[in-house]
Amino acid sequence: MQGALDGIRIIDASRVLAGPFCSMILGDLGAEVIKIEHYETGDETRGWGPPFAGGESAYYLCTNRNKQSMTLNLKSEKGKEIFHRLVASGDIVIQNFKTGTLEKLNLGYTQLKATNPRLIMASITGFGLTGPYKNLPGYDYIIQALSGLMSITGETGGSPMKVGVAIADVLAGLYTCIGILSALHHRDRTGKGQEIDISLMDCQVSALVNVAGNFLCSGINPERIGNRHPNIVPYQVFTARDGKFVVAVGNDPQFRRFTALLGKPELAGMEKFAHNDGRLRNKSELIPLIEELLKKKTKKEWKKLLDRAGIPNGPINTIAEMFEDPQIQARNMLVKMNHAKIENLKLVGSPLKLSATPVTMRDPPPLFGEQTESVLSELGYSAEEIIQFRQNNII
């Protein structure tokens, strides 16, 4: 079967996480992705380790499958010429240079669309192409702080905490995918490309969802509440006889079933606990009662009972335990690929399950500059020219 994006060529001039994560998703969907790397240093994440496998960093490997690596000196006139020729052959450019950098190199959207009017260009920056912060660098950690995310993450009374992954980068990668797919649909209708302006800050603010909504409706600044939910009770970490697990009671019928399992069905009949708004107002009285009752059984015993009753729950897995979970294995969320330097390379699979155009794991993350010569040859450059490019620090 052909992939959903078969025939689409992406010139990926991004590096680190947000852009490469986006282009990997599009590559999984069948697009051809040519990864442009600095001719001397490559993508910074190649050196972000340990851990390393076969000389490749785990960080680099996690977002760069289904791509070809091409080295290029974009500051050289010949490098710019090559890039324009690539753009003429492609559909999409993804880049995450600081605002204005590519324009100074004659490689901005205005210049590139003169080469290819159908071009879609996705520009990912910390703060966007407009606004007073547009020229500032925007790393994920800074975005988590500025967006308010850290102010609501952590235990009550504790220090603000960042999320355990670079979540602003991940969100920006996903929003960029959405923008690109929308722009492709628009181009199919009109024949015209466009520029997509993605800001890590915008993406993270958007992802505050109900917490931001709570503030906008109430005017009350949200505080850190640890593992509890700001709007639902009981919905948090509890302690069983042998350790901690999560119970997430999402509605009143679930609460009635939950109290029956606890051996206290009368709790659900009490007016102050019968509905979620009452449970939220009276959580300081309700939660201690639940905590004592849950200590009577093990996590495994509670899981069996709660699953049977249709009440969401789960153990707090380590990453190792997660990959051993039969559900994760059944959904192919761990994949193995052949790699020139790594025996039995393991990568996280794709969550996209398409019946007619399934994702494919065609190529492992490329070695540094692995396909430079083959891409240049396809663009029409001779073997002699390619040798000269290397001698003159063009590639």
Side-chain angles (χ1 to χ4, degrees):
M1 299 182 195
Q2 288 187 329
L5 297 180
D6 188 70
I8 296 295
R9 170 173 275 191
I10 297 171
I11 316 303
D12 183 9
S14 69
R15 67 258 186 234
V16 186
L17 183 53
F21 184 58
C22 169
S23 62
M24 182 181 72
I25 294 170
L26 300 173
D28 288 351
L29 288 166
E32 177 191 11
V33 181
I34 299 175
K35 180 180 179 69
I36 304 299
E37 301 196 60
H38 188 280
Y39 74 108
E40 292 178 316
T41 58
D43 189 322
E44 300 97 296
T45 61
R46 288 184 179 275
W48 286 11
F52 293 94
E56 303 288 301
S57 77
Y59 202 118
Y60 165 76
L61 292 169
C62 79
T63 58
N64 284 289
R65 66 170 172 252
N66 287 333
K67 301 179 186 181
Q68 304 173 64
S69 171
M70 176 183 180
T71 58
L72 196 58
N73 180 356
L74 292 177
K75 291 184 178 180
S76 69
E77 291 306 311
K78 182 57 70 171
K80 295 173 188 177
E81 175 198 299
I82 293 169
F83 193 79
H84 272 273
R85 192 178 293 194
L86 266 174
V87 167
S89 74
D91 300 280
I92 298 157
V93 169
I94 301 172
Q95 66 92 10
N96 62 350
F97 288 89
K98 285 181 65 175
T99 301
T101 299
L102 288 185
E103 283 75 12
K104 293 176 183 177
L105 296 174
N106 195 36
L107 298 174
Y109 176 64
T110 300
Q111 294 98 340
L112 293 180
K113 75 174 181 179
T115 296
N116 182 354
R118 290 171 53 83
L119 178 70
I120 295 165
M121 185 167 182
S123 299
I124 306 171
T125 57
F127 299 101
L129 303 181
T130 59
Y133 296 172
K134 67 180 182 180
N135 293 317
L136 296 179
Y139 281 38
D140 174 273
Y141 205 165
I142 307 306
I143 299 301
Q144 290 200 38
L146 284 171
S147 68
L149 179 63
M150 288 180 64
S151 77
I152 61 168
T153 306
E155 293 293 341
T156 302
S159 296
M161 296 291 291
K162 72 178 183 68
V163 177
V165 297
I167 191 65
D169 275 301
V170 172
L171 289 166
L174 293 172
Y175 272 110
T176 305
C177 277
I178 295 169
I180 287 171
L181 295 176
S182 300
L184 281 171
H185 185 61
H186 171 77
R187 193 182 72 173
D188 286 344
R189 293 200 316 266
T190 67
K192 297 179 181 179
Q194 61 182 298
E195 184 173 25
I196 302 164
D197 173 8
I198 298 291
S199 152
L200 268 68
M201 184 73 160
D202 294 350
C203 294
Q204 186 57 73
V205 170
S206 172
L208 292 175
V209 287
N210 63 296
V211 176
N214 289 346
F215 168 74
L216 293 173
C217 287
S218 70
I220 300 172
N221 206 31
E223 298 179 350
R224 290 184 292 285
I225 56 174
N227 290 311
R228 291 178 284 119
H229 195 286
N231 301 103
I232 308 173
V233 172
Y235 202 101
Q236 64 183 74
V237 173
F238 290 102
T239 303
R241 185 192 300 165
D242 60 344
K244 296 183 182 297
F245 71 120
V246 171
V247 178
V249 177
N251 55 51
D252 295 340
Q254 286 183 7
F255 184 67
R256 290 193 289 272
R257 298 197 299 273
F258 181 51
T259 55
L261 289 179
L262 294 175
K264 293 285 184 178
E266 61 271 22
L267 290 174
M270 299 172 68
E271 184 177 350
K272 58 184 173 181
F273 299 145
H275 303 291
N276 182 72
D277 58 344
R279 294 193 293 273
L280 189 62
R281 286 195 299 269
N282 296 287
K283 61 180 180 291
S284 60
E285 180 182 353
L286 176 62
I287 294 303
L289 297 174
I290 294 172
E291 287 177 326
E292 285 303 311
L293 294 168
L294 287 174
K295 290 177 182 177
K296 295 181 179 181
K297 289 182 171 60
T298 66
K299 292 184 291 183
K300 187 174 182 179
E301 288 171 331
W302 280 122
K303 180 161 181 57
K304 185 175 181 180
L305 290 170
L306 292 165
D307 284 351
R308 188 182 301 159
I311 298 169
N313 72 100
I316 302 172
N317 284 334
T318 64
I319 302 300
E321 289 169 335
M322 176 274 292
F323 277 120
E324 292 297 323
D325 191 296
Q327 180 68 18
I328 296 301
Q329 295 177 356
R331 296 286 292 174
N332 297 318
M333 289 307 297
L334 173 63
V335 297
K336 298 177 182 179
M337 301 192 75
N338 294 320
H339 189 280
K341 292 188 175 182
I342 306 168
E343 185 177 353
N344 194 28
L345 172 62
K346 296 178 182 178
L347 298 172
V348 176
S350 172
L352 297 169
K353 319 295 184 186
L354 285 72
S355 62
T357 54
V359 301
T360 54
M361 309 297 157
R362 304 177 303 283
D363 301 304
L367 302 177
F368 178 48
E370 184 176 357
Q371 289 82 22
T372 300
E373 294 185 7
S374 61
V375 172
L376 288 170
S377 295
E378 186 205 331
L379 291 174
Y381 293 102
S382 68
E384 291 76 15
E385 287 177 304
I386 294 172
I387 292 172
Q388 289 180 352
F389 293 160
R390 201 171 294 283
Q391 292 173 341
N392 294 324
N393 293 325
I394 306 302
I395 59 174

